[in-house]
Amino acid sequence: MKPYVILNAAMTLDGKIVTAKNSSNISGEEDLKRVHELRREVDGIMVGIGTVLADDPRLTVHKVDATPQDNPVRIVVDSKLRTPIAARITNKDARTIIAGANEFKYDFLVSDRCEVFRKRDVEFFFSGDKRVDLNALMNYLASEGIEKLMLEGGATLNFSMIKEGLIDEIRICIAPKVVGGVNAKTLFDGEGFDTMDEGVDLELIDSYRLAKDLILTYKVLK
Ligand SMILES: NC(=O)c1ccc[n+]([C@@H]2O[C@H](COP(=O)([O-])OP(=O)(O)OC[C@H]3O[C@@H](n4cnc5c(N)ncnc54)[C@H](OP(=O)(O)O)[C@@H]3O)[C@@H](O)[C@H]2O)c1
C-alpha cells in the first residue's frame, strides 16, 4: 500500500535545481502558482532534511486561494532528526510528521528537542536502521489516509525515491536558464545508476509553455 507519488520540481535547462551557492529561485510567478495549486490538490508534501536545512520551507498553500484545511500533511525525511527547532515546517499551520531512523529514536525521544516538537503537535514515525526506510514510510503514510503525495525534493531524496520505484509521475518546470557548476545539485543525484539500461524509463504525457517556462509531465514506467 502506498500513495500515488508526484515529484514536482523546477530546474534550469542544464538540470540544476539549485546553484552551488544555494540560490534556488528558478521558475516564474505563474509556475509558483501552479505548484501551490498542486499542493492544494494533494494530501501530503514530502521533502528531505537537506531541503529543510537549505530553504526552511513552510510547505503550505499560500500563493493561491486556500483555507487552512487545504494545507497538506508535511513530511520531512530526517533519519537523524536534525530538523531545527525553529524550522517553519514545525509551525501549527498544518500537520507535520518527521520520519526518522530507528538508530536515533531513543536518544531523541528523551531529549528536550523532542519535547519542544511535541508541544507543537509534531508527530514522528521511525523506520529503517540508520536511514529512513522509504517503503515503510510510504506504507505508513497510506495508512494515515495520504492517497496522493507530492515529493518536493531535493536531489538526494528524489533519487532514492525513484530507485525504490516509489514515484509514479514527474512534473518538471524547465526555466530558460543555464547555471552550470559541477557542485550544483541536479534533479536526481544520489549514487546514480551504472548503466543506461538500469535507468528509469519515462513516458512524456503532457507539455506546455507557462509564461517563460516549459512544463513537462512524465509517467514513470515500471
Ligand atoms: N528546484 C527545486 O524544485 C528544488 C526543490 C527542493 C529542493 N531543492 C534544493 O535541493 C537541495 C537539497 O537537496 P539535498 O540532496 O541536499 O537534500 P534532500 O534530498 O532534501 O535531503 C536528503 C537527506 O534526506 C535524508 N534521508 C533520510 N533517509 C533517506 C533515504 N532513504 N534516501 C535519501 N535521503 C534520505 C538524508 O539525510 P539523513 O541521513 O541525515 O536523514 C539525506 O541526506 C536544496 O539546496 C534545495 O534548495 C530544489
Side-chain angles (χ1 to χ4, degrees):
M1 199 168 62
K2 75 176 247 339
Y4 182 84
V5 178
I6 302 170
L7 164 61
N8 185 85
M11 69 181 198
T12 57
L13 183 63
D14 50 338
K16 307 297 187 185
I17 59 167
V18 62
T19 68
K21 301 278 186 202
N22 205 36
S23 169
S24 60
N25 208 356
I26 296 176
S27 60
E29 202 49 43
E30 293 80 358
D31 182 60
L32 295 177
K33 285 203 175 110
R34 179 192 65 81
V35 172
H36 282 247
E37 273 159 15
L38 181 55
R39 284 184 180 180
R40 194 170 53 189
E41 251 180 57
V42 297
D43 308 303
I45 308 185
M46 186 169 92
V47 293
I49 180 63
T51 297
V52 170
L53 295 176
D55 299 344
D56 191 18
R58 274 179 282 178
L59 300 185
T60 53
V61 187
H62 53 266
K63 287 192 184 290
V64 293
D65 287 342
T67 64
Q69 289 70 35
D70 289 322
N71 285 329
V73 178
R74 303 173 292 191
I75 302 109
V76 189
V77 181
D78 178 14
S79 319
K80 306 182 194 75
L81 304 133
R82 291 186 285 150
T83 299
I85 279 174
R88 298 197 294 180
I89 202 170
T90 69
N91 67 24
K92 288 195 174 182
D93 291 351
R95 183 178 170 200
T96 300
I97 301 171
I98 298 180
N102 284 314
E103 180 165 325
F104 310 98
K105 177 176 176 177
Y106 293 104
D107 285 348
F108 174 74
L109 288 178
V110 295
S111 70
D112 293 342
R113 294 179 70 244
C114 178
E115 193 53 34
V116 174
F117 284 135
R118 285 206 193 283
K119 283 195 178 126
R120 284 187 212 149
D121 301 329
V122 172
E123 299 168 36
F124 300 94
F125 171 75
F126 293 91
S127 66
D129 297 335
K130 289 179 188 303
R131 217 176 192 200
V132 175
D133 177 336
L134 297 171
N135 283 284
L137 176 59
M138 289 304 109
N139 209 314
Y140 172 69
L141 295 179
S143 75
E144 288 292 294
I146 297 178
E147 292 176 6
K148 214 188 235 188
L149 177 71
M150 184 174 172
L151 171 62
E152 279 210 50
T156 310
L157 183 60
N158 289 350
F159 184 75
S160 292
M161 285 288 289
I162 201 146
K163 189 180 173 202
E164 291 293 323
L166 296 171
I167 299 179
D168 299 285
E169 194 180 313
I170 301 178
R171 297 190 193 178
I172 294 301
C173 167
I174 301 183
K177 200 183 269 285
V178 169
V179 291
V182 72
N183 293 321
K185 290 173 193 295
T186 66
L187 184 57
F188 295 97
D189 283 349
E191 68 275 23
F193 294 112
D194 291 337
T195 64
M196 280 292 164
D197 280 350
E198 289 170 271
V200 177
D201 292 320
L202 310 173
E203 181 188 337
L204 181 66
I205 54 175
D206 192 24
S207 62
Y208 63 96
R209 196 176 169 145
L210 184 59
K212 286 203 250 173
D213 299 326
L214 176 65
I215 311 298
L216 302 176
T217 303
Y218 292 91
K219 181 177 157 194
V220 178
L221 303 176
K222 307 277 172 175

